[in-house]
């Protein structure tokens, strides 16, 4: 099979990787503030004509939205850069990221940044927040969740139904990951897509997930399973997308060590 030169993903958790998403988030927040003021400027005279208190109520609502989003972003930036838990007791990073993530993608396109680069940066930010909040993460039920494309393309074994169907032949990394999971008594699951991955999460009810996938699946998955914390590991694609992908096994071991012992 011919190898395709694929740019390696940003190493998980590196500061240089986090910068893109954090900077875009700050720009997105400024854009949201600008749009809110513009909206207020347009509708304020009409609101006052309905009832004086109505105008005040809308003003308070918009103000609270801005405080929540900007306060959340400030804590996220601080926690992501220092990897210390400034999100406690707030903890609700989701509102801020849900609002800002799609705007980040639009702004990224405006600046000519590839979507996958922004997603890689999002995963790096997510992993830093994971490290920052690790003392609050329960290691009770760890699940290693793998994308199906790690399996050798020609392998007939139905490892998505049960990973124990793997014959441990060594042609792909699935057997090494199974051995790694067994060493730590950590179960794993291999999913063909987002729907199956969500089903597995609902059934297994993990308290924390170590996920291996591409940029798109990881960013969607991290947001889908919230509030379950996810440590994301980007796969490597020497043969192009979705076929015979690879993963740095040390990254999986590092993630499990981080969860179990707080090591890095
Ligand atoms: S290691 Fe397992 S999944 Fe990979 S090719 Fe061999 S039998 Fe198939």
């Amino acid at each position: 099979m011919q190898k395709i030169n694929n740019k390696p993903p940003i190493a998980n958790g590196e500061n240089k990787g986090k910068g893109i998403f954090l900077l875009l988030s700050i720009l997105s927040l400024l854009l949201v503030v600008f749009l809110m003021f513009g909206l207020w400027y347009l509708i304020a005279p009409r609101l006052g004509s309905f009832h004086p208190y109505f105008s005040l109520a809308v003003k308070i609502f918009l103000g609270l939205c801005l405080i929540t989003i900007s306060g959340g972003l400030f804590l996220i930036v601080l926690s992501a850069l220092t990897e210390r838990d400034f999100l406690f007791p707030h903890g609700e990073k989701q509102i801020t990221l849900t609002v800002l993530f799609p705007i980040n993608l639009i702004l990224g396109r405006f600046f000519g940044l590839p979507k996958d680069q922004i997603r890689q940066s999002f995963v790096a930010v997510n992993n830093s927040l994971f490290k920052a909040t690790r003392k609050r993460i329960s290691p009770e039920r760890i699940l290693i969740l793998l994308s199906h494309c790690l399996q050798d393309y020609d392998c007939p074994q139905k490892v998505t139904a049960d990973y124990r169907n793997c014959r441990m032949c060594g042609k792909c990394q699935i057997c090494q990951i199974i051995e790694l999971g067994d060493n730590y008594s950590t179960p794993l699951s291999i999913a063909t897509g987002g729907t199956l991955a969500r089903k597995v999460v609902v059934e297994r009810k993990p308290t924390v997930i170590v996920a291996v996938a591409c940029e798109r699946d990881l960013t969607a998955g991290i947001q889908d399973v919230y509030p379950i914390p996810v440590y994301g590991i980007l796969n490597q694609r020497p043969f192009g997308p979705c076929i015979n992908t690879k993963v740095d096994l040390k990254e999986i071991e590092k993630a499990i060590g981080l969860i179990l012992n707080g090591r890095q």
Side-chain angles (χ1 to χ4, degrees):
M1 190 175 292
Q2 196 197 353
K3 276 201 172 191
I4 293 173
N5 275 334
N6 208 22
K7 250 184 153 182
I10 295 165
N12 295 284
E14 285 184 7
N15 268 316
K16 63 177 181 181
K18 291 181 264 189
I20 293 172
F21 187 81
L22 293 177
L23 275 174
L24 283 176
S25 296
I26 292 166
L27 283 177
S28 295
L29 178 65
L30 292 175
L31 189 66
V32 169
V33 172
F34 178 76
L35 290 175
M36 274 188 169
F37 273 104
L39 183 71
W40 176 251
Y41 179 77
L42 290 175
I43 63 171
R46 286 181 182 274
L47 292 180
S49 66
F50 285 126
H51 193 284
Y53 285 139
F54 188 55
S55 165
L56 182 67
V58 174
K59 201 190 269 184
I60 290 172
F61 174 74
L62 290 177
L64 284 176
C65 286
L66 273 185
I67 289 169
T68 306
I69 297 170
S70 51
L73 181 60
F74 177 69
L75 296 177
I76 286 169
V77 172
L78 211 55
S79 299
L81 291 180
T82 62
E83 296 186 353
R84 289 173 181 268
D85 192 3
F86 291 101
L87 289 167
F88 185 81
H90 179 53
E92 291 298 326
K93 64 181 185 195
Q94 188 66 3
I95 302 171
T96 304
L97 291 184
T98 303
V99 172
L100 297 182
F101 187 75
I103 309 174
N104 284 2
L105 289 181
I106 296 167
L107 275 184
R109 193 194 294 175
F110 179 76
F111 291 120
L113 291 169
K115 267 187 186 175
D116 274 353
Q117 201 174 351
I118 300 168
R119 287 170 175 146
Q120 284 179 18
S121 183
F122 170 80
V123 173
V125 169
N126 170 77
N127 288 353
S128 289
L129 297 180
F130 185 101
K131 288 176 188 169
T133 56
R134 64 182 179 269
K135 284 187 185 147
R136 286 194 274 144
I137 292 171
S138 162
E140 205 183 320
R141 289 189 302 279
I142 306 174
L143 175 67
I144 303 175
L145 192 52
L146 308 172
S147 60
H148 175 237
C149 52
L150 281 165
Q151 184 183 17
D152 183 81
Y153 186 74
D154 298 319
C155 174
Q157 299 306 116
K158 300 256 182 265
V159 290
T160 50
D162 181 354
Y163 68 90
R164 295 292 178 194
N165 288 334
C166 170
R167 296 175 66 188
M168 310 295 277
C169 74
K171 265 182 92 182
C172 71
Q173 286 182 303
I174 294 288
C175 60
Q176 291 166 284
I177 303 172
I178 292 173
E179 279 172 359
L180 205 155
D182 286 347
N183 284 345
Y184 289 94
S185 305
T186 302
L188 60 99
S189 192
I190 302 162
T192 45
T195 309
L196 192 58
R198 274 187 290 275
K199 189 168 168 273
V200 167
V201 171
V202 170
E203 284 171 4
R204 299 278 188 94
K205 298 186 175 48
T207 55
V208 54
I209 298 171
V210 176
V212 180
C214 63
E215 289 84 349
R216 194 193 57 186
D217 287 356
L218 266 187
T219 46
I222 288 168
Q223 294 178 73
D224 277 357
V225 302
Y226 183 84
I228 301 169
V230 180
Y231 190 92
I233 300 170
L234 294 164
N235 63 15
Q236 297 153 7
R237 302 177 290 271
F239 302 103
C242 308
I243 184 162
N244 292 349
T245 57
K246 308 271 179 219
V247 61
D248 184 350
L249 297 175
K250 284 196 201 116
E251 282 289 331
I252 301 181
E253 199 156 13
K254 189 175 93 175
I256 296 173
L258 186 69
I259 295 163
L260 293 177
N261 310 318
R263 281 190 274 123
Q264 287 193 45

